[in-house]
Amino acid sequence: MENKAENEVKALKAHVALNVSDVKKSTEFYGKMLGLKPVKERVGYAKFDVQNPPLNLTLNQVADVGKGRLSHLGIQVSSTHDVHATKQKWMDAGLLTSDEMQTNCCYALQDKTWVQDPDGNQWEVFVVLEDNLPTTSMCCATEGSATVPVTIALPAQCASSGE
């Protein structure tokens, strides 16, 4: 019989490589968002080694980034308090935030806040309050409304977000 523990892969961290139009502007934004400096910088490249949550984030400057290649990115936290604490940290760093509290997104009740990088990539920090809600026509909307008034453009749908 095969030992499952010996065959399990222990992932160290997720890796996200983003194409950006201006690595300097994006490095400044992500430095503020993450609260740290990149561990590596080269012409057209920057790398952030984030410990919490474990993430290897690289920025790669390209001539034509384009829009719509990515729905959004997110960090799931354990409580609404953590959502508010992250929002305050982002605001203190001078980033524009937008909230969605008690929102039905991806068939789950969530509290979240958003920021947008210089190329339009949306980042959310969110907590799932209740999961596996019944099928409804609403996605990413607060109760009683079909849309959420926000100051930044949010993804049209979050069906592929895995939240």
Side-chain angles (χ1 to χ4, degrees), residues 33 75 77 81-91 97 113 125:
M33 182 186 140
I75 301 165
V77 295
H81 176 271
D82 291 339
V83 171
H84 290 298
T86 302
K87 174 188 176 174
Q88 189 60 54
K89 182 173 132 182
W90 287 348
M91 288 173 43
T97 63
T113 194
V125 62

Side-chain angles (χ1 to χ4, degrees), residues 25-116:
K25 282 183 185 176
S26 293
T27 298
E28 182 180 329
F29 170 84
Y30 282 102
K32 289 177 180 179
M33 182 186 140
L34 299 169
L36 51 96
K37 295 179 187 268
V39 296
K40 188 187 305 180
E41 290 184 89
R42 302 290 188 272
V43 174
Y45 175 86
K47 176 184 176 182
F48 290 89
D49 186 18
V50 184
Q51 299 306 308
N52 185 19
L55 174 66
N56 170 345
L57 173 67
T58 59
L59 308 174
N60 304 285
Q61 188 164 315
V62 296
D64 182 24
V65 172
K67 301 272 186 211
R69 294 185 186 165
L70 178 68
S71 172
H72 69 279
L73 302 152
I75 301 165
Q76 185 172 357
V77 295
S78 61
S79 69
T80 298
H81 176 271
D82 291 339
V83 171
H84 290 298
T86 302
K87 174 188 176 174
Q88 189 60 54
K89 182 173 132 182
W90 287 348
M91 288 173 43
D92 290 348
L95 301 178
L96 177 65
T97 63
S98 178
D99 291 344
E100 287 184 289
M101 298 297 164
Q102 300 291 304
T103 189
N104 175 354
C105 187
C106 305
Y107 310 105
L109 182 63
Q110 301 177 19
D111 285 343
K112 56 178 77 182
T113 194
W114 296 84
V115 291
Q116 179 176 293

Side-chain angles (χ1 to χ4, degrees), residues 123-145:
W123 279 87
E124 66 175 329
V125 62
F126 68 98
V127 60
V128 174
L129 303 170
E130 185 180 346
D131 207 356
N132 294 317
L133 299 177
T135 301
T136 112
S137 60
M138 289 188 351
C139 182
C140 300
T142 55
E143 190 164 328
S145 71

